[in-house]
Structures are given as structure tokens and as C-alpha cells.
Amino acid sequence: MAVVITNGKIVSSKGISQKDIRIVGEKIDKIGLNLIRPNDEIIDAEGSYIMPGGIDAHTHFDCEIGGIVADDFKTGTKAAIMGGTTTIIDFAEQVRGGTLREALDEWNEKAVGKTYTDYGYHMTISDWNEKTSQEMEEMIKEGIPSFKIFFAYEELQLDDGSIYEALKRAKELGALIGFHCENGTLIDKLREEAILKGNREPIYHMETRPPSLEKESIARLITIAELVDTPVYIVHLSSKEGYDEIKNAKRGGAKILVETCPQYLLLNKEYYLPKGEDSFEGAKYVMSPPLRDMESNKVLWKGIRNGEIEVVATDHCAFNYRGQKDIGKDNFTMIPNGAPGVENRFNLMYTYGVKENRISMERLVKIISENPAKIFGLYPKKGVIQIGSDADIVIFNPNHKTTIKAEEQTQNVDYNLYEGFTQFGKFEYVFLRGQMIVRDGEIISSKPLGKYQYRRIHS
Ligand code: URP
Ligand code: ZN
Ligand code: ZN
């Protein structure tokens, strides 16, 4: 039996059209007019937008720090699909002294059979050596053509020489490396100084990670990538200073792909200021890079609008405020880094992007789904509504209005970064490879049906 979605407005990066979509099995079989046949299941999408399922290219599920974890793959991907995201790409982290294979085995242990969305991994490289270099090729054979390197965090960051070599290897293999751009060596100095001075509150997380240190490592990355002559991807861009660096390099022809996240568009550093009774509340926003000023919010929106920022992901990395973040009650350096967001990305970008006339529906589909699919080797299987593609489809009623409340969310974490924000839109239906997972805004799948996605980057 086929499913036919009728009367909706299909959105692609090229425009909006009113046509039927016929789904047979896991795939989109036909797009056109008058596609309904006897025995078809008909979904009337009158008044709704029909879009390709979201792809969140930056999540950290089951991200354990010192034995604590909030969202695992099951709860995290359930929240993702409730929020219109049908594929996630998570970071499998190499432990220094360990191998990429061990990291992959560990992440498979965490994820296989537990995901409501389809999924893949990027491999984080924290130990650059001959073995890692060989293993990059093995990972590509496993369908993992994307990697991540940190300029920050003592236990993860690599030096410039290693980054240069890793990029040369990536070029040879046709792989893409994403970079966390903050100068970790200087951040560690600033943190030490802050603690010595008795500056221990969450606000010092932001003060010790200034935008100049994002700008500096972006500039360094651009220099190294230029020497190697290979494209790079910058994860979670947060600041105007960083953006300006990228903008100039891009305009000079540098091959840089850029991601930002809703928190860097919608929140700002005021959130670290002590409020009322609870001077620790800023801990909810302890993530790296930290929140910046409103000028940065504005400039990043501009980057999305003009196409200089290609992707909006979440960097979902959830820890509870009570019982987890508060490990750092007396010392901000102990607060687990990271914040939730996978559930709200699509609605927030619609509400504060499209409805506030910052971006078009077409651009929304590009940054939420099509671009991450293209960049990370999922396209045209995913990221687009076209004949032959996976039937990963969301039916989005744009008129539904709610207020974000942690107590009502699916994410398994005790707060929401956007508490009290208005959001428009409801995912009336979400299909994953033709299977209806969400109906009338409720999850109806009794078990996780997500499949691992073998990816290949076409250069
Ligand atoms: O604070 C964050 N972002 N935690 C997750 C790890 C990372 O840097 O992406
Ligand atoms: Zn990062
Ligand atoms: Zn991250």
C-alpha cells in the first residue's frame, strides 16, 4: 500500500510547489498531480508545509563526562524526531592513547538499535599518529568520511603540525574535517588566572573564552588549510570576530564551510549574569564557545541569509542543571560543558528566521536539511524531496503557537535554553524512510527504527 500526501506546499531550496507525494516502501515514488489510487492511505496536508526531514550534523548523545550523562541516543533521537529531525550525525570521540576503531566500537555500543532517527558519526581525532592516519582510510570504508579536530580542550586539542598533517591526509582521502576553533592553550591560562583571582562564577566561563580566541584559531585554520589547499568545515561559529575572518577568506576564494547553532543566533552573554536568588543559573549556558554579544547574533543571521553560513546544527550536549551542572557550583571550570537543543532547532529557525523575515522558507530547508546532506555525503538520498530519495518527510503546520517549557519537552534534561520563548509550528507528521513515526505531534513508533547511514563525500 502506498501513502499519498496531498494538498500540502512542498518546500525545496528552489521554491514551493503544491503537488502530491506518493510514498512506496521507504522511498518517494512519485511527485505530481492526481496521484491518489484505490487503497492508498491519504494524508491531507492542507495548510501545511512539506519539507525534507531535518539533518542535525552536530550532536553529542550519551556524552559522558566524569560518569554523568543526560540524553542518550534513545531519548536524544526521540526528541530530535519530535522536532522534525530525521537524521543526526554524532561525534564518536577517540580517547588520547586509543584508536579510532575503539571509538567507533564504543559509539556503536551506545547507538545501535537505540535511535529513533537515522544516524551516522563523525570521528573526533584527539591523537594524531601513523595509526590514526591509517585508520582514517578504514573509517571512510565504514561510511565515515568526516572527522573533527579541536583547537581547544587540553585532552583533545592538536598542535598546528598535526593539524597540517591530518588535513593533508584528508585531502588525499577525499575526507572533510570539522574544526572546533578556540585557542585552548590561551583559554587554559585565562582559566587558571581567573581561579587564582577568586573568579569562580559561571560568567567567567564566558570571560575566559573571548571571541578573539575564536578569531585567532579560525585565522590559523585558514592559513593551514590554504597551505594544504583543501576544504575545511568550521563547527559552531559563535562570534562576529570569527565570522569576519571567514567572510574575508571566503571572498578571497577559500573553501570554508560554516556551521552555527540557534543559541548563537538567539541568546547572548547577558544570560551569564546572576539573576535574582540563583547566581548559578548561568551554568545552564556553559557551553563552548560561550554565548556572545547581540552584534554577533545579528551578523550570524546575516551570514545565514547571504549563504556564507551553510548549516545550522545544535551541538546538543545535555547535562542537567540540578545534580550535574552543579558539580561546578564553586568553580566554573568544573561545570560540564554543553547544552541541549536538538528538539527545538527546526521550530526556532522557522519562528525567528522565517516568521521574522530574516530568511525564506527555501533558505530554511537549505540550512536545516539540504546543505548538511550535501556536505556530509547523504544527498540526494536525504536532504531533498525528490523521486527516489528516502521518504524522510515532515508535515509542518506553521500556525500552531506554543511556549517552550522544559517540563513539556521530550529531551531528557531538566531545563531548556529557550524557556519561555514563543515557537511556531507543529510537526503533525514525521516520516522516516516511509514509516510514520510522529502523528498529530505524538510519537507513535513503539521502538527506535533508525538505521546507520553509510556516507560518501563526493568532491
Ligand atoms: O560545550 C560544548 N559545545 N560541548 C560539546 C563539545 C564541543 O565542543 O562541541
Ligand atoms: Zn566543539
Ligand atoms: Zn560539539
Side-chain angles (χ1 to χ4, degrees):
M1 191 182 73
V3 175
V4 178
I5 303 171
T6 187
N7 285 327
K9 291 169 276 185
I10 305 173
V11 188
S12 80
S13 62
K14 296 185 186 69
I16 302 180
S17 60
Q18 187 131 14
K19 288 191 182 135
D20 294 349
I21 300 174
R22 189 178 167 84
I23 302 170
V24 177
E26 297 200 337
K27 301 285 181 189
I28 296 172
D29 180 52
K30 287 194 176 66
I31 301 172
L33 299 173
N34 306 317
L35 296 184
I36 300 169
R37 300 285 172 268
N39 299 325
D40 285 348
E41 181 181 349
I42 300 162
I43 310 252
D44 187 350
E46 173 85 52
S48 290
Y49 288 115
I50 304 176
M51 293 180 274
I55 297 172
D56 191 339
H58 191 151
T59 66
H60 303 267
F61 294 134
D62 211 338
C63 173
E64 190 212 300
I65 299 187
I68 58 168
V69 73
D71 271 311
D72 57 17
F73 274 85
K74 203 163 183 179
T75 61
T77 57
K78 196 174 195 176
I81 208 155
M82 288 289 284
T85 290
T86 49
T87 304
I88 60 102
I89 313 180
D90 204 81
F91 289 89
E93 294 201 352
Q94 179 191 30
V95 175
R96 194 163 289 161
T99 63
L100 298 185
R101 173 65 58 188
E102 283 160 359
L104 178 57
D105 289 347
E106 191 186 340
W107 253 256
N108 276 332
E109 194 69 32
K110 291 171 189 259
V112 176
K114 297 174 199 150
T115 66
Y116 281 86
T117 61
D118 282 351
Y119 66 100
Y121 313 116
H122 312 282
M123 298 302 307
T124 295
I125 298 173
S126 63
D127 205 347
W128 180 251
N129 52 46
E130 195 45 47
K131 169 88 179 151
T132 305
S133 172
Q134 280 166 20
E135 281 193 299
M136 280 178 80
E137 191 167 13
E138 270 182 54
M139 293 300 119
I140 291 168
K141 287 187 187 141
E142 301 271 358
I144 305 174
S146 52
F147 299 82
K148 181 180 183 187
I149 289 178
F150 287 85
F151 277 87
Y153 304 128
E154 203 182 354
E155 66 288 3
L156 298 172
Q157 73 193 55
L158 298 189
D159 60 51
D160 294 354
S162 302
I163 291 173
Y164 172 75
E165 286 180 9
L167 273 176
K168 278 192 16 182
R169 182 69 170 146
K171 180 178 181 180
E172 191 176 281
L173 297 170
L176 180 66
I177 307 186
F179 288 85
H180 175 126
C181 292
E182 287 186 294
N183 183 321
T185 309
L186 291 178
I187 287 168
D188 290 345
K189 288 285 162 216
L190 297 184
R191 279 154 70 95
E192 268 169 46
E193 282 174 13
I195 293 299
L196 280 173
K197 284 188 210 150
N199 295 336
R200 292 171 163 260
E201 294 77 26
I203 193 169
Y204 293 102
H205 171 76
M206 179 267 291
E207 299 283 5
T208 55
R209 308 183 90 95
S212 58
L213 299 189
E214 182 174 63
K215 172 188 153 87
E216 186 278 336
S217 50
I218 288 175
R220 197 148 34 102
L221 172 62
I222 292 170
T223 306
I224 302 171
E226 228 169 56
L227 288 175
V228 179
D229 187 26
T230 199
V232 289
Y233 181 88
I234 293 178
V235 300
H236 52 45
L237 176 68
S238 65
S239 66
K240 174 186 184 308
E241 289 80 348
Y243 174 81
D244 287 343
E245 207 60 49
I246 294 166
K247 189 179 67 184
N248 292 336
K250 274 195 163 196
R251 290 181 188 175
K255 292 170 246 161
I256 311 169
L257 299 156
V258 188
E259 164 198 291
T260 190
C261 311
Q263 57 268 34
Y264 302 118
L265 296 163
L266 300 173
L267 308 176
N268 62 70
K269 61 187 189 178
E270 306 269 305
Y271 283 82
Y272 296 110
L273 294 172
K275 276 188 232 90
E277 297 279 276
D278 192 356
S279 65
F280 189 63
E281 190 135 1
K284 292 177 179 173
Y285 308 92
V286 166
M287 62 186 86
S288 300
L291 302 175
R292 308 298 191 184
D293 57 11
M294 287 189 195
E295 185 57 22
S296 291
N297 299 155
K298 224 161 77 190
V299 160
L300 296 179
W301 274 117
K302 195 168 137 207
I304 291 175
R305 194 168 46 249
N306 68 20
E308 269 160 353
I309 295 177
E310 285 85 0
V311 174
V312 174
T314 61
D315 196 10
H316 180 104
C317 183
F319 298 102
N320 287 320
Y321 179 54
R322 297 192 194 286
Q324 297 188 336
K325 289 267 185 191
D326 53 16
I327 292 165
K329 191 99 195 152
D330 302 316
N331 179 345
F332 75 92
T333 67
M334 308 286 285
I335 301 170
N337 261 238
V342 75
E343 192 167 346
N344 305 108
R345 178 182 68 132
F346 215 139
N347 293 84
L348 287 172
M349 294 311 294
Y350 174 73
T351 306
Y352 297 95
V354 177
K355 268 194 88 70
E356 303 220 340
N357 293 321
R358 289 179 168 119
I359 56 171
S360 63
M361 283 302 291
E362 289 87 344
R363 174 79 49 195
L364 176 73
V365 163
K366 242 180 167 0
I367 57 172
I368 289 278
S369 184
E370 184 180 306
N371 282 348
K374 284 183 169 163
I375 292 169
F376 292 112
L378 290 161
Y379 192 87
K381 187 168 188 271
K382 298 191 183 289
V384 63
I385 295 183
Q386 77 180 27
I387 294 169
S389 294
D390 280 0
D392 295 348
I393 294 174
V394 302
I395 302 184
F396 182 78
N397 169 358
N399 301 316
H400 197 262
K401 183 178 170 187
T402 45
T403 301
I404 296 178
K405 291 188 188 126
E407 62 191 37
E408 291 172 5
Q409 71 191 1
T410 304
Q411 302 173 146
N412 183 33
V413 55
D414 66 357
Y415 75 100
N416 189 301
L417 285 180
Y418 311 96
E419 186 75 25
F421 276 49
T422 295
Q423 68 176 3
F424 281 92
K426 178 176 174 185
F427 294 95
E428 304 274 13
Y429 295 89
V430 180
F431 290 88
L432 175 68
R433 283 177 283 99
Q435 297 160 97
M436 192 190 291
I437 308 291
V438 172
R439 183 175 60 208
D440 199 24
E442 298 293 331
I443 200 136
I444 57 163
S445 170
S446 57
K447 57 178 187 336
L449 297 173
K451 277 191 190 162
Y452 175 72
Q453 297 299 305
Y454 183 99
R455 297 178 294 119
R456 182 190 293 270
I457 291 177
H458 312 274
S459 44

